[in-house]
Amino acid sequence: LLDVAASGENLVEREGLSVRHPSRFVLIGSGNPEEGELRPQLLDRFGLAVEVSTPGEIAGRIEVIRRRDAFERDPAAFVKKWSRKEGSLRRRIVRARTAIDDLVVGDEVLGKAAELCMALETDGSRGELTLMRAARALAALEAHEGVTLEHLRRVAPMSLSHRLRRNPLDEASAGVRVERALDRLLPA
């Protein structure tokens, strides 16, 4: 995966057959950290990472159960019920895709992205690139004309948490370390 991602070319060799073809892809995955860590080189190739957890309040848990039950009992009715909301989101995404290339990420935002990555000791430039791209995408989705520090703040946890090295002297999770750095560099 790393070689193909870096080179943009996939080589398949099996049973005397050798085929090369261009390959551009986006890695999408899910995993359970309890089953083991991914190598840092592979984690670095994921632009964004989010932690999914079970809702912590009764109302949220009940809503999950209700929706799942509704889908299982009548998938077509469930899809119909949510189609308007899904269509609205789809239109927002299409508009954002059209607008994203025109959004400017100013030097102030780029500077704060670099400061944040330096403070968190992320390797390479992928952290800053991901922060810039994700902040631009969020601004486009929200129909803003430019990217702000608030956009940067909102995308930083999902852009950087998985890029942090383990720190044996700091028991805090990566997410908490990103939040502390944000509070220091981008106070709300």
Side-chain angles (χ1 to χ4, degrees), residues 103 138-148 151:
L103 284 174
L138 179 58
L141 184 67
E142 294 180 345
H144 288 238
E145 292 183 13
V147 179
T148 67
H151 294 122

Side-chain angles (χ1 to χ4, degrees), residues 62-103:
I62 290 171
E63 187 60 24
V64 168
I65 294 164
R66 280 190 180 134
R67 289 185 190 186
R68 180 61 196 195
D69 182 54
F71 175 78
E72 286 176 357
R73 285 186 290 116
D74 190 347
F78 183 87
V79 168
K80 184 177 180 184
K81 176 181 178 180
W82 292 97
S83 65
R84 177 178 282 170
K85 195 167 217 160
E86 189 174 303
S88 173
L89 179 58
R90 184 181 299 115
R91 286 187 293 281
R92 283 181 64 203
I93 292 169
V94 168
R95 279 193 298 271
R97 283 179 142 180
T98 303
I100 197 166
D101 289 335
D102 295 329
L103 284 174

Side-chain angles (χ1 to χ4, degrees), residues 4-68:
V4 175
S7 70
E9 184 176 71
N10 187 31
L11 171 63
V12 179
E13 291 184 321
R14 281 210 174 90
E15 301 166 2
L17 175 71
S18 182
V19 177
R20 285 185 187 276
H21 62 90
S23 179
R24 275 190 75 200
F25 58 91
V26 175
L27 284 174
I28 299 173
S30 65
N32 182 349
E34 294 172 6
E35 295 175 1
E37 297 289 324
L38 292 176
R39 294 187 348 213
Q41 306 92 305
L42 186 57
L43 270 179
D44 192 42
R45 301 295 178 163
F46 287 95
L48 304 174
V50 294
E51 203 169 296
V52 179
S53 60
T54 304
E57 73 288 339
I58 296 293
R61 293 175 79 102
I62 290 171
E63 187 60 24
V64 168
I65 294 164
R66 280 190 180 134
R67 289 185 190 186
R68 180 61 196 195

